[in-house]
Amino acid sequence: MKGSYDEFTLAVIEWMEEHGGVEALALGYANIRWVGKGSARITYPFIHNGVHYVVKIPRSKRYMDYANYDEDSNSSYADGIYQSDSEIEVWERSNDEEKELLCPIVKYFYYQNLPIIVMPFVDFRSADADEDYICGVGKYGECTKRCCECDDNISFLGFLCKTLKIDFDEFFGRVYDLADRLCLSIVDITDNSGNIGIYDNRVVIMDYGLPNHYYESWY
């Protein structure tokens, strides 16, 4: 089975097995610290040939039960499998201009029936910045750093745009058009600071797997 994978994919699989296997990684019980954990997916650091990546793995958010994966779940949250499949579809359907807004998917593949996604590591600072802009990471809404001339009530997205001297309204309009065309949750993209960051000295969306219709089931 492994013989059908390319060299990079085999390196990811070997890394997963070295850290307890996909089940342990999905549950957050692996012998490596995760870098991000959402309602349905968990992300780990991965280094290959000196390049830093992250690996996204679906997880069960209802009972933290690896055996409870269900692509047809009625849960208020999308399953990790569904989110990853959606994210892959968004990346494949995006045109070149839209891809400039997205953190690229370097590789995706299926292993033990789970979609595995590999992306570049995304930072929260500009390469030209004089200081680290690790600001509001993991928080919603307001920028939490007040020592770098942040405006009160500025969103984290607004803060990143200000850091890179990007016109916020123009950028937001492009993101909104992307979300509208591909039926993505604009709120999950723009109001969750854990879903945006800086890659290749530009603001990018690094989590774009939640369709907008999933919010309808919350009410």
Side-chain angles (χ1 to χ4, degrees):
M1 182 66 178
K2 289 185 179 181
S4 62
Y5 293 118
D6 60 51
E7 182 180 353
F8 183 83
T9 303
L10 286 173
V12 178
I13 292 173
E14 181 179 354
W15 167 85
M16 289 193 296
E17 297 301 331
E18 287 178 353
H19 292 289
V22 68
E23 178 175 350
L25 289 163
L27 289 169
Y29 298 153
N31 57 357
I32 185 173
R33 175 68 177 172
W34 48 266
V35 294
K37 184 164 65 173
S39 65
R41 296 189 291 177
I42 188 166
T43 304
Y44 293 92
F46 171 66
I47 302 175
H48 182 65
N49 291 336
V51 180
H52 291 251
Y53 302 93
V54 295
V55 178
K56 292 185 179 181
I57 299 175
R59 60 188 286 263
S60 170
K61 71 276 154 233
R62 288 177 292 169
Y63 307 110
M64 284 301 292
D65 180 1
Y66 176 79
N68 197 39
Y69 286 114
D70 179 6
E71 294 184 57
D72 299 318
S73 170
N74 291 321
S75 169
S76 59
Y77 290 96
D79 276 336
I81 290 176
Y82 192 93
Q83 283 196 26
S84 288
D85 283 342
S86 175
E87 191 164 75
I88 292 167
E89 181 181 1
V90 168
W91 177 251
E92 293 293 335
R93 291 179 58 196
S94 298
N95 58 42
D96 290 343
E97 183 177 350
E98 291 169 333
K99 279 182 167 62
E100 288 295 313
L101 303 171
L102 305 175
C103 183
I105 294 180
V106 175
K107 178 69 65 174
Y108 66 86
F109 61 94
Y110 286 78
Y111 186 65
Q112 297 184 10
N113 297 319
L114 297 181
I116 308 298
I117 294 176
V118 183
M119 289 182 169
F121 177 81
V122 171
D123 209 340
F124 296 92
R125 58 189 173 184
S126 166
D128 299 326
D130 295 329
E131 61 177 301
D132 290 352
Y133 287 92
I134 303 175
C135 178
V137 177
K139 301 293 191 299
Y140 289 80
E142 296 181 5
C143 166
T144 61
K145 192 173 183 180
R146 301 289 182 237
C147 60
C148 52
E149 299 182 356
C150 287
D151 299 324
D152 287 341
N153 300 319
I154 190 173
S155 69
F156 186 57
L157 175 58
F159 177 76
L160 291 181
C161 287
K162 181 179 179 180
T163 300
L164 293 185
K165 297 179 173 58
I166 295 172
D167 184 279
F168 174 82
D169 291 334
E170 189 272 338
F171 183 85
F172 183 86
R174 292 175 63 198
V175 172
Y176 185 90
D177 289 343
L178 170 69
D180 183 60
R181 188 177 80 81
L182 298 177
C183 300
L184 298 177
S185 168
I186 186 68
V187 174
D188 190 57
I189 292 172
T190 60
D191 289 6
N192 185 346
S193 65
N195 288 345
I196 53 178
I198 296 176
Y199 168 70
D200 197 25
N201 224 31
R202 68 179 190 272
V203 179
V204 296
I205 307 160
M206 57 186 179
D207 188 330
Y208 40 93
L210 189 65
N212 58 15
H213 66 268
Y214 268 88
Y215 279 109
E216 297 173 2
S217 63
W218 289 19
Y219 303 99

